[in-house]
Amino acid sequence: MSLQSDRPSATSSHSPGEVLALISSGAVATRADIARITGLARSTVSQRVDALIAHGFVDEDADGASTGGRPPRRLALRTREHAVAGVDLGASHCRVALLDIGGATLATRENPLAIGDGPDSVLRHVERTVHALLEEAGRTPAALKAIGVGVPGPVEFSTGRPVDPPIMPGWHQYPIPEFFAARFGVRALVDNDVNVMALAEQRRAFPDCRYLLYIKVGTGIGCGIVADGRLHRGAQGCAGDIGHIRVAELDEQCRCGNSGCLEAVAGGASLAAKLAGLGLDATSGSDVVRLVKSGNREAVLMVREAGRAVGEVLAALVNFFNPDTVVMGGALAAVHDQLLAGVREAVYRRSHPLATQLLRIEPSRTGENAAAVGAGILAIEHALSPEQVDREVAGRRR
């Protein structure tokens, strides 16, 4: 499966980076394939491929099938000397995955860590963890090509800086990319955690799906949007903030200052507070999941009702966006039987029949690894982008 979302067009100049995109996508396997597909002269193909081999991006092995005469030499993405890190920063955890640039996971590590401890403490922990994983996987720091980071708050993607994140005190406008560039000399791409979760789900679990919504139902509620195979972030990077859509004329106060927000009605923290008010031991979404799994009637009914509330909002999104797949993730997705029952009930009742005719609503397949793997894929797609590869070939690494 290709981790690249697009192939160079037939009218492009077919730089070394664009040739690598063809190789890594599986569109070509030999120099002859490249010449046939691109229309480049064989001498130009040789220049491009030789440059990619010299810079360690491509391997060429003599194991192609022969059609008479010498067998062709097959081209493949060189993965063993290149790696990226995917970082998942949650409200109370840090999960880091080290991947090779082919997408294979080399090592992972998760630690409890409070995002409220502030950027200096949290990012230094990430720095130490990345070094430890590189050593564990037998890679040097020079092998690291890029870092992807998912954070639980709004991010201005063009700068990689969090913007007024509600549960991240001290992080507003913090220069996360500059922190990692100063220590590893590579580009760090920072995004909202639900966006990288959506990316992981689409690339890994639903590669043939072009229009996907990833709904994260955890402490808060958010939506990652994949449109025509690409993440859709909106003009400033805050597309998908569905947790603050008003769903009912209710008095539940939301942390945003308004009332009746979806998050205040159906988020994990809200459900835990309601169950605690009934005398049950619940302080977080994880406790809600535990109570549901133990068969607690109040918790089961509450999660199903939360699913209906999510479904009311999702029905409007289905009518507006017309996805082919909706994926439910986050902490409460661990009890997806109850949650999805409520979601499906509302969506199929409120959405247009044409919009739901082929619609899939399914639990996450990437699970707890979604954010770290998605952040790693974000880093891979940067490292293998034609522009970045061309910079490296030209000796202008960034």
Side-chain angles (χ1 to χ4, degrees), residues 200-221:
E201 205 72 34
Q202 193 272 333
R203 298 291 194 265
R204 288 289 178 90
F206 300 96
D208 297 327
C209 167
R210 304 295 290 176
Y211 295 89
L212 177 145
L213 296 177
Y214 181 97
I215 311 297
K216 176 192 175 187
V217 186
T219 300
I221 299 176

Side-chain angles (χ1 to χ4, degrees), residues 277-292:
L278 297 175
L280 297 169
D281 180 19
T283 58
S284 67
S286 298
D287 293 326
V288 177
V289 170
R290 172 179 51 78
L291 288 168
V292 171

